């Protein structure tokens, strides 16, 4: 009887049911689109952050910035003075530690011993500046008279020096010393070896190098080529391509070789840390800061604060304005559905009063009204899911491009890495990445939509059921014409 009456009433009131369902559908669709876009923002930000530190890295440890250190140092280049008239090319390399702040290699062991740390590995960030060129001796030419000058230098031939000078080229690139005994952790893991091979665990002091593909192309390097750093020749054994964004460094060499080149024996600039449980990252960070003095711990959450540009703006809109807007629209849809259902009940006073006069109890009338509202809610849920999926698909199909600008900064404690996350040092402030926005719809989002549909039906049914339960059979007699 319940379903028969329900089917008949919904068929008879199709227009009213469609209005209620449509209102709920719009609210549910907006929630789905906002939630899927927010998820897409999160994935886009993860893509940006993933390009700044090694895969599997949960946090990095760098030396705490000292207020007495200005983080600057002028490189000096020494060239020999020659008086043999030769114009032979000269060159001078300067290998500098990025940030000029280092930690003792023993700190890696201290960090690795903290509760909640699964593994820790150190690395050394270097910047190499090479100046090469030649001096050309100028020629002294006397004046046309060929006489001598009568000025302060009387008796000296008069004339001027013409030609000569110096022409030098400056080449700057980044070098990262990696611990080859732990290849699963560190910034090199965010790149893929596309030619040649990676380091082996036995090449701790090997004069071998892996070169980023962009730098290799710029300098015409390939597997088997030779790369000289501060007079030391390294054999290129592999070419690496960053999975996303910019690479961690231009050149990767074994850590011991990097320490030798920089005269920084048993020193590291960055410690990459893997936690035993991703849910314990905050507690691990607190433990390291408490037990390992003089360090700064940076997590991906800290690094996310340095991401600006249209990605950051869009993410902020999606998480604040978008969610609040969807909540307001959803609440409005629920209220409208409830009011429309209540209004429909008021127009059915004679019907419900007659049913009560025939023996229907108030509870049965209420259940009938709630049942109709639930069907309207589920219908609105189906329409809302369809509209939401269509909206999310449209966003993914268009794939608007957002820019993420990585602010330089203090997240790395002064030794900075790419993006300040303590990775191999680069100028983070100049980095801008283009990220395509998608709007993935997860099963949880669909489940949320179904829940909202049921909730909408219950809200509408509560309004109408409360109104129906208050009707009396006498009301029906007053409406009889």
């Amino acid at each position: 009887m319940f379903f028969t009456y329900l089917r008949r009433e919904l068929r008879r009131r199709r227009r009213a049911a469609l209005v209620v369902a449509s209102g709920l559908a719009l609210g549910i669709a907006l929630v789905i689109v906002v939630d899927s876009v927010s998820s897409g923002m999160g994935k886009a930000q993860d893509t940006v952050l993933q390009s700044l530190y090694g895969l599997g890295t949960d946090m990095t440890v760098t030396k705490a910035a000292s207020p007495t250190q200005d983080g600057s140092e002028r490189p000096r280049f020494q060239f020999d003075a020659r008086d043999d008239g030769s114009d032979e090319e000269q060159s001078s390399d300067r290998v500098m530690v990025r940030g000029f702040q280092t930690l003792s290699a023993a700190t890696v062991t201290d960090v690795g011993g903290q509760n909640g740390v699964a593994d820790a590995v150190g690395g050394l960030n270097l910047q190499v500046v090479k100046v090469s060129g030649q001096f050309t001796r100028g020629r002294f030419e006397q004046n046309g008279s060929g006489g001598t000058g009568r000025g302060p230098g009387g008796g000296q031939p008069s004339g001027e020096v013409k030609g000569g000078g110096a022409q030098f080229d400056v080449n700057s690139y980044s070098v990262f010393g990696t611990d080859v005994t732990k290849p699963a952790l560190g910034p090199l893991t965010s790149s893929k070896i596309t030619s040649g091979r990676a380091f082996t665990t036995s090449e701790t002091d090997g004069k071998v190098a892996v070169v980023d593909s962009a730098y290799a192309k710029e300098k015409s390097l390939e597997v088997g080529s030779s790369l000289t750093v501060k007079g030391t020749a390294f054999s290129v054994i592999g070419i690496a391509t960053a999975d996303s964004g910019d690479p961690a460094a231009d050149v990767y060499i074994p850590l011991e070789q990097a320490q030798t080149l920089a005269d920084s024996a048993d020193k590291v600039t960055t410690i990459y840390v893997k936690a035993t449980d991703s849910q314990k990252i905050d507690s691990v960070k607190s433990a390291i800061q408490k037990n390992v003095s003089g360090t700064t711990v940076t997590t991906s959450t800290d690094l996310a604060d340095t991401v600006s540009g249209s990605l950051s703006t869009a993410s902020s809109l999606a998480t604040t304005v978008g969610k609040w807007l969807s909540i307001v629209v959803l609440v409005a849809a629920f209220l409208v559905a409830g009011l429309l259902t209540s209004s429909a009940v008021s127009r059915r006073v004679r019907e419900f009063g007659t049913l009560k006069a025939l023996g229907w109890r108030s509870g049965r009338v209420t259940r009938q009204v709630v049942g109709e509202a639930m069907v309207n809610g589920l219908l609105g849920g189906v329409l809302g899911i369809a509209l939401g999926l269509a909206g999310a698909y449209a966003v993914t199909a268009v794939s608007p491009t957002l820019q993420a600008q990585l602010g330089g900064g203090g997240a790395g404690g002064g030794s900075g890495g790419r993006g300040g996350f303590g990775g191999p040092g680069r100028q983070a402030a100049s980095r801008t990445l283009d990220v395509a926005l998608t709007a993935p719809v997860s099963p949880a989002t669909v489940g949320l939509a179904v829940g909202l549909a049921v909730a909408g039906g219950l809200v509408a049914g509560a309004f109408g059921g409360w109104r129906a339960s208050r009707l009396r059979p006498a009301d029906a007699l007053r409406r009889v014409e």
Side-chain angles (χ1 to χ4, degrees):
M1 180 64 180
F2 173 81
F3 292 103
T4 301
Y5 191 83
L6 180 65
R7 184 174 62 254
R8 184 181 64 81
E9 288 301 315
L10 289 175
R11 185 184 301 125
R12 188 164 64 92
R13 305 178 187 278
R14 288 192 298 267
R15 182 175 299 178
L18 185 59
V19 171
V20 173
S22 298
L24 291 174
L26 290 177
I28 292 171
L30 183 59
V31 171
I32 292 176
V33 173
V34 171
D35 188 77
S36 58
V37 169
S38 298
S39 178
M41 294 294 178
K43 288 192 174 184
Q45 191 172 68
D46 288 343
T47 300
V48 173
L49 301 183
Q50 195 177 84
S51 69
L52 303 179
Y53 57 91
L55 298 174
T57 302
D58 291 323
M59 65 192 76
T60 58
V61 179
T62 54
K63 186 174 182 179
S66 171
T68 60
Q69 293 176 312
D70 59 6
S72 62
E73 180 179 312
R74 291 185 176 182
R76 297 180 179 273
F77 301 91
Q78 183 67 38
F79 296 97
D80 297 331
R82 297 176 180 174
D83 195 28
D84 56 2
S86 65
D87 295 334
E88 182 180 349
E89 181 176 300
Q90 298 187 61
S91 66
S92 178
D93 285 14
R94 181 65 191 271
V95 179
M96 300 171 290
V97 174
R98 286 303 296 260
F100 309 104
Q101 299 185 50
T102 59
L103 295 166
S104 170
T107 309
V108 180
T109 304
D110 294 339
V111 171
Q114 298 302 309
N115 186 33
V117 174
D119 201 1
V121 62
L124 187 63
N125 310 328
L126 303 177
Q127 185 72 20
V128 180
V129 180
K130 181 176 183 178
V131 178
S132 58
Q134 61 184 18
F135 294 97
T136 303
R137 181 185 293 273
R139 299 189 307 276
F140 179 79
E141 295 184 2
Q142 294 184 355
N143 57 24
S145 63
T148 59
R150 296 184 179 181
Q156 298 294 328
S158 63
E160 60 181 341
V161 176
K162 294 184 177 181
Q167 184 175 1
F168 283 82
D169 178 59
V170 179
N171 179 28
S172 177
Y173 57 96
S174 58
V175 175
F176 180 67
T178 181
D179 189 342
V180 299
T181 63
K182 295 183 178 181
L185 191 60
L188 187 55
T189 56
S190 62
S191 295
K192 181 180 179 181
I193 301 297
T194 52
S195 179
R197 63 175 179 86
F199 297 110
T200 63
T201 55
S202 62
E203 293 175 321
T204 55
D205 196 31
K207 295 180 179 179
V208 290
V210 173
V211 182
D212 175 65
S213 57
Y215 186 75
K217 182 178 180 180
E218 177 186 349
K219 299 301 180 182
S220 300
L221 297 173
E222 58 185 16
V223 176
S225 298
S226 180
L227 176 68
T228 302
V229 182
K230 199 178 180 180
T232 302
F234 290 86
S235 175
V236 177
I237 61 172
I239 305 295
T241 302
D243 291 333
S244 60
D246 291 343
D250 296 320
V251 179
Y252 304 88
I253 61 176
L255 178 59
E256 291 187 16
Q257 286 290 339
Q259 292 170 335
T260 301
L261 291 174
D263 295 324
S264 301
D266 296 325
K267 298 291 184 181
V268 296
T269 54
T270 313
I271 302 174
Y272 295 86
V273 181
K274 175 66 177 177
T276 56
D277 187 349
S278 60
Q279 303 299 319
K280 298 181 179 179
I281 291 179
D282 289 339
S283 62
V284 174
K285 175 181 177 179
S286 299
I288 295 174
Q289 290 177 324
K290 178 181 178 181
N291 301 324
V292 185
S293 60
T295 59
T296 296
V297 184
T298 309
T299 66
S300 58
T301 302
D302 302 325
L303 182 60
D305 295 335
T306 70
V307 179
S308 60
S310 60
L311 173 61
S312 177
T313 302
S315 179
S316 176
L317 288 174
T319 55
T320 55
V321 178
K323 286 188 176 181
W324 279 111
L325 177 62
S326 62
I327 290 174
V328 169
V329 172
L330 195 62
V331 170
F334 282 7
L335 290 177
V336 170
L339 292 175
L340 288 176
T341 303
S342 179
S343 177
V345 170
S346 66
R347 292 193 300 270
R348 299 167 65 184
V349 170
R350 186 172 61 180
E351 174 189 344
F352 290 135
T354 303
L355 291 175
K356 281 192 171 185
L358 294 175
W360 281 38
R361 296 181 178 276
S362 296
R364 185 175 180 183
V365 174
T366 300
R367 286 195 298 272
Q368 197 70 45
V369 174
V370 172
E372 294 176 14
M374 285 295 298
V375 172
N376 291 337
L378 293 176
L379 178 59
V382 172
L383 293 175
I385 291 174
L387 290 174
L389 291 177
Y393 176 79
V395 173
T396 303
V398 175
S399 294
T401 300
L402 301 176
Q403 284 191 336
Q405 186 173 356
L406 308 179
S415 65
R418 294 188 166 193
F421 191 67
R426 279 197 302 183
Q427 298 300 323
S430 63
R431 293 192 60 197
T432 301
L433 300 179
D434 291 333
V435 185
L437 175 64
T438 60
V441 180
S442 64
T445 302
V446 176
L448 174 64
V450 174
L452 291 176
V454 173
L458 290 175
V459 169
F463 272 89
W466 173 80
R467 184 70 179 272
S469 65
R470 295 171 59 86
L471 295 177
R472 295 177 300 169
D475 293 327
L477 299 177
R478 294 194 191 102
R479 298 293 181 95
V480 174
E481 298 178 355

